[in-house]
Amino acid sequence: LLDALPMRARGVLAQRNGFSGESEKLADIASQYDVTQERVRQIEQKALRTIRTNIRDNKMGPESFR
């Protein structure tokens, strides 16, 4: 699923959702990427929208969920 996203969007989703441990706060992620908290939120929302759209439009087959 994440392969369809740019690297920064993958990182933001991983950090926000705790893929590698605990989820991080917007402020912490924003400082790592040198952007505002609002920009991190926007990146996260766009990434989630992209995933939903790809699933809905069947651009991602069952192999994407492994």
Side-chain angles (χ1 to χ4, degrees):
L1 282 172
L2 298 180
D3 291 341
L5 301 174
M7 286 298 285
R8 183 164 66 171
R10 283 186 231 175
V12 167
L13 280 182
Q15 291 173 291
R16 285 289 288 159
N17 294 289
F19 292 175
S20 301
E22 289 189 33
S23 59
E24 296 182 37
K25 296 179 182 178
L26 284 174
D28 298 333
I29 299 169
S31 67
Q32 289 176 11
Y33 288 100
D34 196 31
V35 296
T36 64
Q37 292 180 42
E38 176 61 18
R39 184 66 187 132
V40 171
R41 190 193 64 75
Q42 291 169 354
I43 292 167
E44 178 185 23
Q45 293 304 309
K46 184 176 180 182
L48 292 172
R49 193 169 41 252
T50 299
I51 290 171
R52 280 190 221 103
T53 300
N54 288 345
I55 291 171
R56 184 190 67 223
D57 295 345
N58 285 326
K59 291 180 183 175
M60 294 180 165
E63 66 280 353
S64 298
F65 297 100
R66 294 184 186 157

